Amino acid sequence: MASTQETTPNMERIKKALFRNAMQGKWDEVVSIYDANEEAHMTKITKSGDTALHVAVSDDRTDIVEQLLLIIRSSMNAKEVLEIQNERGNTSLHLAALMGSVRMCKCIADPFPYLIGSRNHDNETPLFLAVLHGKKEVFLCLNQIARCDNGETYCRRKDGDTILHSAIAGEYFDLAFQIICRYHNLVHSVNEEGMSALHLLATKRSCFRSGTHFGWLAKIIHHCIFVKELKEETFNMNKDLVESFGEEMAPPFPPNYKLCTNLLALPWLAFTRLWNTGRDPERTGEQADLEYSDGNQPIMKGERLQGLPSNYYTCFGIIQVVSKAILVILRTGIGKIRKIQEIKEIKEKHIWTAQIMHELLCHVSIYEHQEDSGDIPEQSSLRMDDYEIEPYSIIDGDDTYDKEAIFGSQSLLEGKKKMLAGKTKKQETPILIATKNGISEMVKGILELFPVAIYDVDHQKKNIVLLAVEHRQPHIYLKLLRKAFFTDTAFRHVDKDGNSALHLVAKLGYSGAYPFAAVQMQWEFKWYLFVRCSLPRNYFITYNKEGKTAKEIFTESHQELASKEGEWLNSISNSCSVVATLVAGVSFATTATVPGGIKEDSSKPTFERHQAFLIYAVSSLIALVFSVTSMVSFLAILTARRKMEDFELGLPRKLLLALTCLFISIGAMLVCFCSANFFLLKDVLEDNAFTVYTLACLPTTILMIFTIAQFPFYFDLLWSTFKRVPQRHFT
């Protein structure tokens, strides 16, 4: 291999040749240049400061990277070459981790494990980048090479985020579980904003079952899907594979054979399920799935069935097998229903998030008394000060840990120390964040492990009762009313402005939380009455520090909303009353008309004995009665008063009655029209009657589609009118 010093013109020629061949994909030429010129190893060929090795890694050319690494290792400056950084500070190992290539990461990091600790300009290590982009296999590989005792020093970047923060922020919950299994201390770590992993998880509302809304069909599919819980995985250094428990391998058959193979596998699944559940109700065969006990709180199946006779487990096994059979047919037998796969991914997220939450709560110690021991952030627990979390601190005097290795540079360490000199921002506890976001699983889990958490308050001195009321979370408020969590102190609590729960519920809520603005006023009033009636009057103070009562606050804050909703009611009443009047006019005309005339001898209808005549007479009468009722109801809305209490039941019930009568009258009018035309066309179009009626009903179908499109609003109004506890809405 050449070792003589090349002249500057020669190096420029080599640089251009490397760049040209790399851009054109002529990697054999690049390998030849690397083999012939040792100086080419350290040559940066792109504007962003990448070497040919960087480009090969970014191009995901694993075979070329392996060849280049063999050449580089045989040189005298192999370490210097692999330490070269581009303008963002990324080494080739950074890029390999970002690409998610286990083979490239092994080839680079195996001979030089210290490269796993190299940091870019954002103070990110290759291990951190692998987690940041959700590359679980690369994380397991690099963690195995770095060893757990050294890997912990590579887990934080300059803003204080750890790899656990990044995994949860990116919703890589399977990866987050592997991190927790290996680095328990990261559960306590907080970033510069004072956010721990549990804080971050409390902001992921859509990742929990209580924060996800399903339709009736999606809810059935969701309950039929079984998801396996996460388990700790190991990395096999010899096979370049992740040994995942329960991982499905690629099937050795065409995709269209999947239905047959799944159906053939069901009998064996049924046999093993029934055999195992009948023999050992505790734990046999594969691990029990994680399920929901009340639709929200996840529990282990074995925990849920404790205390039941052993033969009951067979029944539950049969239910599981039948559910899986239904899903197999739906998923693979009726085309590729993407919705089912999406629901499966959502349930995986729900189950895994609940498992991550459980692991975090098992290791967290935010409610334990902590003495100042001078630990670095990774070793210090979250400290409580007036039930609020302070950001982590760095205290000198402990030489056991290499702080510069953890934070990357001395300048960064100085920046962390300067942060202590200023006033630190206090962070809310996880239970407060979860209450605001309506995550009932986390609220219940924290209160069961740490009952003292019910007294946590934020910077405005609001506890979880006040926050649940203020942020319109009725499901959480109902849980807090139960005897298990009920405490007089929590429900009598007031914030720094002297507002009780009744004062806060009287304030106008966020309008985006309601599916239709028309029902917001009704929802607000019912929510106010529910909170007021849920506890004795002596639990709520009469006046706040501004000298206002809850009723005064409600009237002032909802005045504009009541005015807007009154205008909306007038608008819809005017429009619908016109339609009701037209239907009433047509219905009156059909009622006064007798198809076929009257018999001269008896003054009876000619078609009296025909079934179609009976349908015609009844439907015309129904259309007339209900259209007139609808018209009168809309007129009653137009002339009704607009006081606050009228928006609870009076006006909504009138609107519901008017819309119901209008829908019925329209349907009855269409039936009357079809039955009347039957007498005219039954003898003329004997064979083609079906085709003619089908074409004639097309405009009617369009009208029906428009009517059905109004049903979501109709049913939401129906639900909110007759339900005592206001329905929770999802944004």
Side-chain angles (χ1 to χ4, degrees):
M1 189 173 295
S3 60
T4 59
Q5 184 69 27
E6 298 285 350
T7 62
T8 302
N10 193 31
M11 286 302 302
E12 287 295 327
R13 180 181 57 80
I14 294 175
K15 178 179 178 180
K16 291 182 179 181
L18 286 173
F19 177 80
R20 182 176 61 257
N21 291 322
M23 295 299 103
Q24 295 177 359
K26 299 179 180 179
W27 290 108
D28 292 337
E29 297 293 333
V30 174
V31 173
S32 300
I33 296 174
Y34 256 57
D35 190 24
N37 301 276
E38 186 172 321
E39 288 75 10
H41 301 175
M42 303 187 67
T43 302
K44 296 183 177 181
I45 63 174
T46 66
K47 185 179 180 180
S48 57
D50 293 318
T51 65
L53 181 60
H54 284 82
V55 178
V57 172
S58 300
D59 203 23
D60 201 19
R61 295 299 303 268
T62 305
D63 54 338
I64 301 300
V65 171
E66 291 177 346
Q67 296 180 41
L68 295 177
L69 288 174
L70 287 176
I71 298 173
I72 292 172
R73 289 174 192 169
S74 62
S75 64
M76 300 297 296
N77 58 350
K79 291 184 178 180
E80 290 78 3
V81 172
L82 295 178
E83 291 173 356
I84 295 176
Q85 298 176 326
N86 58 17
E87 65 177 11
R88 298 190 60 182
N90 290 325
T91 65
S92 56
L93 185 57
H94 282 89
L95 299 180
L98 190 148
M99 294 294 297
S101 175
V102 176
R103 285 180 58 187
M104 288 193 293
C105 289
K106 279 191 60 180
C107 291
I108 298 173
D110 257 342
F112 308 106
Y114 75 93
L115 291 174
I116 301 176
S118 59
R119 297 178 180 271
N120 58 19
H121 297 331
D122 293 326
N123 210 48
E124 298 166 338
T125 63
L127 186 71
F128 192 98
L129 276 182
V131 175
L132 186 63
H133 293 84
K135 310 299 182 182
K136 182 177 67 175
E137 291 79 7
V138 173
F139 165 76
L140 296 175
C141 172
L142 296 179
N143 178 77
Q144 182 74 14
I145 297 174
R147 302 290 188 269
C148 287
D149 52 347
N150 294 326
E152 193 165 334
T153 62
Y154 306 148
C155 296
R156 188 187 291 271
R157 65 181 176 188
K158 66 181 181 182
D159 61 356
D161 281 346
T162 66
I163 55 176
L164 187 55
H165 286 86
S166 298
I168 294 177
E171 300 183 3
Y172 308 122
F173 297 113
D174 54 343
L175 178 53
F177 182 81
Q178 305 305 321
I179 295 173
I180 295 174
C181 292
R182 289 161 174 79
Y183 303 111
H184 298 301
N185 290 333
L186 293 184
V187 172
H188 311 293
S189 298
V190 295
N191 57 18
E192 291 180 354
E193 298 178 354
M195 297 281 286
S196 68
L198 192 59
H199 285 84
L200 200 57
L201 191 64
T203 64
K204 300 291 182 180
R205 175 174 54 183
S206 61
C207 297
F208 288 86
R209 178 64 185 90
S210 60
T212 307
H213 176 67
F214 288 116
W216 63 271
L217 180 58
K219 190 177 296 185
I220 294 175
I221 297 175
H222 183 274
H223 283 291
C224 290
I225 295 174
F226 294 89
V227 177
K228 293 183 179 180
E229 64 175 16
L230 295 169
K231 301 179 183 179
E232 185 175 359
E233 300 175 3
T234 57
F235 182 76
N236 191 317
M237 296 294 292
N238 296 323
K239 296 182 180 180
D240 292 347
L241 294 174
V242 176
E243 297 176 350
S244 175
F245 297 92
E247 181 180 2
E248 294 185 0
M249 304 300 292
F253 46 77
N256 56 334
Y257 283 39
K258 189 174 182 180
L259 174 62
C260 300
T261 56
N262 286 341
L263 290 176
L264 291 175
L266 283 176
W268 174 252
L269 174 64
F271 173 77
T272 55
R273 177 74 67 178
L274 299 180
W275 176 261
N276 288 334
T277 54
R279 283 177 39 188
D280 187 2
E282 293 294 330
R283 183 72 73 201
T284 55
E286 59 183 83
Q287 197 76 0
D289 293 334
L290 195 65
E291 297 182 352
Y292 291 99
S293 59
D294 59 356
N296 289 332
Q297 180 65 23
I299 59 173
M300 291 301 300
K301 190 195 308 177
E303 295 176 0
R304 187 183 66 174
L305 302 181
Q306 285 180 353
L308 295 179
S310 59
N311 58 327
Y312 278 44
Y313 290 82
T314 303
C315 299
F316 286 107
I318 294 174
I319 294 174
Q320 286 189 0
V321 172
V322 173
S323 300
K324 288 188 176 182
I326 295 173
L327 289 177
V328 164
I329 296 173
L330 287 177
R331 183 167 56 244
T332 58
I334 311 177
K336 294 183 178 179
I337 303 180
R338 296 182 179 178
K339 188 67 175 179
I340 296 180
Q341 184 62 30
E342 292 175 1
I343 296 175
K344 180 181 179 182
E345 294 174 358
I346 292 174
K347 184 162 186 178
E348 285 179 347
K349 188 181 295 184
H350 293 164
I351 300 297
W352 295 347
T353 304
Q355 190 176 354
I356 294 295
M357 182 195 71
H358 177 72
E359 292 294 329
L360 292 176
L361 291 177
C362 288
H363 294 93
V364 78
S365 57
I366 61 176
Y367 295 98
E368 297 179 5
H369 178 68
Q370 298 286 340
E371 297 293 344
D372 190 1
S373 60
D375 290 339
I376 60 173
E378 283 83 357
Q379 303 296 329
S380 61
S381 299
L382 304 179
R383 296 175 172 80
M384 300 297 299
D385 180 13
D386 293 333
Y387 305 106
E388 295 178 356
I389 305 300
E390 293 187 0
Y392 65 90
S393 58
I394 304 170
I395 302 177
D396 293 331
D398 188 354
D399 297 327
T400 306
Y401 302 94
D402 184 2
K403 297 179 181 178
E404 185 171 349
I406 293 175
F407 294 117
S409 65
Q410 186 65 26
S411 60
L412 183 59
L413 184 59
E414 292 297 329
K416 300 292 179 181
K417 291 181 179 179
K418 291 179 181 178
M419 185 183 65
L420 297 177
K423 184 178 180 180
T424 58
K425 177 184 176 182
K426 291 187 176 182
Q427 182 61 253
E428 297 175 348
T429 56
I431 193 172
L432 298 178
I433 300 175
T435 301
K436 290 181 179 180
N437 291 312
I439 305 176
S440 59
E441 295 94 335
M442 183 172 292
V443 173
K444 182 179 179 181
I446 294 177
L447 289 178
E448 287 178 346
L449 292 176
F450 312 105
V452 71
I454 199 171
Y455 301 109
D456 286 8
V457 294
D458 61 7
H459 65 284
Q460 294 181 339
K461 302 303 178 184
K462 295 177 182 177
N463 64 359
I464 59 175
V465 176
L466 300 184
L467 291 175
V469 167
E470 183 181 22
H471 290 269
R472 276 53 178 170
Q473 304 294 351
H475 60 301
I476 292 182
Y477 185 75
L478 287 173
K479 287 183 181 294
L480 297 176
L481 284 174
R482 297 174 182 173
K483 294 182 179 180
F485 303 132
F486 184 88
T487 59
D488 288 349
T489 307
F491 281 85
R492 293 177 184 269
H493 185 80
V494 295
D495 63 9
K496 68 177 184 179
D497 296 323
N499 293 314
S500 65
L502 195 59
H503 287 89
L504 293 176
V505 76
K507 295 182 178 180
L508 182 62
Y510 173 56
S511 60
Y514 307 93
F516 299 99
V519 300
Q520 182 179 0
M521 189 64 195
Q522 182 191 21
W523 203 103
E524 291 279 326
F525 199 83
K526 290 176 74 72
W527 181 227
Y528 171 78
L529 292 179
F530 175 77
V531 174
R532 189 182 69 178
C533 299
S534 62
L535 295 171
R537 282 294 185 92
N538 60 354
Y539 272 70
F540 307 116
I541 63 172
T542 306
Y543 298 97
N544 59 11
K545 290 184 178 180
E546 296 181 357
K548 294 182 179 180
T549 63
K551 187 174 182 180
E552 291 173 348
I553 294 176
F554 186 89
T555 303
E556 292 177 2
S557 61
H558 291 77
Q559 192 66 41
E560 184 179 356
L561 178 63
S563 177
K564 289 182 178 179
E565 188 156 339
E567 294 176 0
W568 181 87
L569 285 172
N570 290 336
S571 176
I572 192 173
S573 297
N574 283 323
S575 302
C576 293
S577 60
V578 174
V579 178
T581 303
L582 293 175
V583 175
V586 174
S587 301
F588 179 79
T590 57
T591 305
T593 303
V594 179
I598 300 175
K599 296 179 181 179
E600 296 180 357
D601 54 347
S602 61
S603 299
K604 293 183 179 181
T606 305
F607 300 113
E608 178 184 8
R609 299 182 179 276
H610 287 77
Q611 188 70 24
F613 181 79
L614 179 62
I615 296 175
Y616 171 84
V618 173
S619 60
S620 62
L621 180 61
I622 291 175
L624 177 62
V625 172
F626 279 93
S627 61
V628 172
T629 305
S630 176
M631 181 176 57
V632 173
S633 299
F634 283 121
L635 291 176
I637 294 175
L638 290 172
T639 58
R641 66 180 185 176
R642 297 289 193 273
K643 288 188 176 182
M644 292 293 178
E645 55 269 19
D646 294 325
F647 287 97
E648 180 198 4
L649 290 177
L651 291 173
R653 285 183 176 178
K654 291 177 182 177
L655 179 61
L656 192 62
L657 174 63
L659 291 175
T660 302
C661 293
L662 181 61
F663 290 152
I664 294 175
S665 63
I666 292 175
M669 183 184 66
L670 295 176
V671 173
C672 180
F673 164 78
C674 293
S675 59
N677 277 268
F678 176 78
F679 296 107
L680 302 176
L681 302 177
K682 66 174 184 175
D683 296 328
V684 179
L685 301 172
E686 295 182 354
D687 298 330
N688 300 322
F690 178 79
T691 304
V692 172
Y693 274 107
T694 301
L695 296 176
C697 286
L698 286 179
T700 305
T701 304
I702 297 175
L703 179 62
M704 291 300 296
I705 292 175
F706 171 77
T707 305
I708 294 174
Q710 311 306 314
F711 281 179
F713 164 71
Y714 178 79
F715 287 120
D716 193 81
L717 180 64
L718 181 67
W719 182 272
S720 60
T721 300
F722 294 103
K723 192 170 179 62
R724 177 173 175 265
V725 181
Q727 181 185 10
R728 184 193 176 202
H729 298 294
F730 295 83
T731 55

